[in-house]
Amino acid sequence: MAQGSTEVETAVVSSDEDQPTLPVRLESPQTNGGRLAGTWFFGLLLSCITYGCVVLGQNNPEMYYAVIAAAVVIGLLAALLVWSAFQQTLAFLLIPATTVEVEFESVAPGATMRFCVKQPGPIFLKSIRANLICIQRRERKLPIQKEGRSRSRDPERILYQENILDTDGGWLFPGQTRQWIAPLAIPEDAQESGKADSQVTQWRIEVWGRTHMFVGFMRQYTLKVRQAD
């Protein structure tokens, strides 16, 4: 465990008692259904391209080795995407939604508060961990503005990352929910959430879980970091 057992409180409670442990439940910005559909789409698309390359190579002996080499590379990418989509589908269908709660709606740089991760059953968790992450991206206006496409986003860069929970899981039967409560400290030099000029800063809690049958999941939750009024 990355954190001492004295810092992490864990308990198994009844799922029927869906009462908040901490006052604020964080929202998840992810749309799992859209992400899953996109992974399947690109995986199957690359699979079709791979098949097309094989057919092209068989019909053009002079290009055979070059086309087959391309088919191998594209096929490996397709296999990785299809395998990822299969794992995501199992996680989407079989793993109940994880929730994250915190003590306050926003937290100031340098402050500490508690957070709670809740995982309902039925599920067998090999391990569960949570990371505190700060990401930043730059938004640029496009030269020609169109409705719904007036801005371009540069790739995200990670400004801060820290493991805040790393522990074993275990069996959770139907009607049971396991919760982990641990401290969360924001660094004193943390940048606040929000937009300044063209820079957009976001703080997140990422929860990673490992289960049996090669199935795992990652879920993100938005955290507001702001100076106290």
Side-chain angles (χ1 to χ4, degrees):
M1 291 174 57
Q3 298 192 15
S5 58
T6 57
E7 295 183 355
V8 180
E9 304 173 24
T10 182
V12 176
V13 299
S14 171
S15 300
D16 297 333
E17 302 173 1
D18 190 18
Q19 299 296 324
T21 304
L22 297 177
V24 180
R25 178 166 293 184
L26 299 183
E27 295 182 357
S28 174
Q30 286 185 306
T31 55
N32 292 329
R35 181 183 176 186
L36 176 59
T39 306
W40 272 116
F41 173 78
F42 286 108
L44 295 177
L45 176 63
L46 290 180
S47 299
C48 292
I49 294 175
T50 302
Y51 177 75
C53 288
V54 172
V55 174
L56 180 63
Q58 291 176 340
N59 295 333
N60 297 272
E62 68 280 2
M63 301 172 55
Y64 180 81
Y65 291 106
V67 174
I68 293 301
V72 170
V73 174
I74 298 173
L76 288 175
L77 292 175
L80 288 174
L81 283 174
V82 170
W83 174 245
S84 175
F86 176 71
Q87 288 184 307
Q88 291 179 46
T89 300
L90 289 180
F92 185 76
L93 295 176
L94 302 178
I95 300 178
T98 311
T99 58
V100 175
E101 298 170 351
V102 294
E103 285 189 282
F104 311 110
E105 287 193 7
S106 63
V107 58
T112 300
M113 67 175 178
R114 294 184 303 160
F115 75 101
C116 176
V117 176
K118 291 183 173 182
Q119 179 60 59
I123 188 175
F124 173 73
L125 275 177
K126 289 185 177 179
S127 66
I128 191 163
R129 58 190 174 92
N131 296 329
L132 175 65
I133 295 181
C134 177
I135 62 169
Q136 191 175 75
R137 68 174 185 271
R138 182 171 175 263
E139 288 189 347
R140 296 177 290 110
K141 291 184 178 180
L142 297 176
I144 301 177
Q145 295 189 2
K146 298 181 180 180
E147 184 178 357
R149 292 177 173 264
S150 59
R151 294 186 181 275
S152 173
R153 292 184 177 181
D154 288 346
E156 297 177 343
R157 61 191 183 102
I158 298 177
L159 300 183
Y160 181 85
Q161 182 170 347
E162 180 188 8
N163 177 256
I164 53 177
L165 177 67
D166 193 346
T167 185
D168 298 331
W171 281 103
L172 285 172
F173 299 102
Q176 290 184 327
T177 295
R178 182 178 291 275
Q179 61 183 29
W180 298 266
I181 302 175
L184 184 157
I186 305 298
E188 294 185 359
D189 59 349
Q191 297 196 33
E192 296 186 35
S193 303
K195 184 176 180 181
D197 297 327
S198 61
Q199 300 288 346
V200 178
T201 303
Q202 291 183 330
W203 285 85
R204 297 174 181 169
I205 294 177
E206 288 185 352
V207 178
W208 297 74
R210 290 183 57 215
T211 69
H212 60 307
M213 297 188 303
F214 306 103
V215 179
F217 63 89
M218 189 278 286
R219 288 159 182 165
Q220 298 176 337
Y221 304 85
T222 302
L223 181 69
K224 296 179 182 178
V225 174
R226 294 174 182 168
Q227 289 287 355
D229 297 332

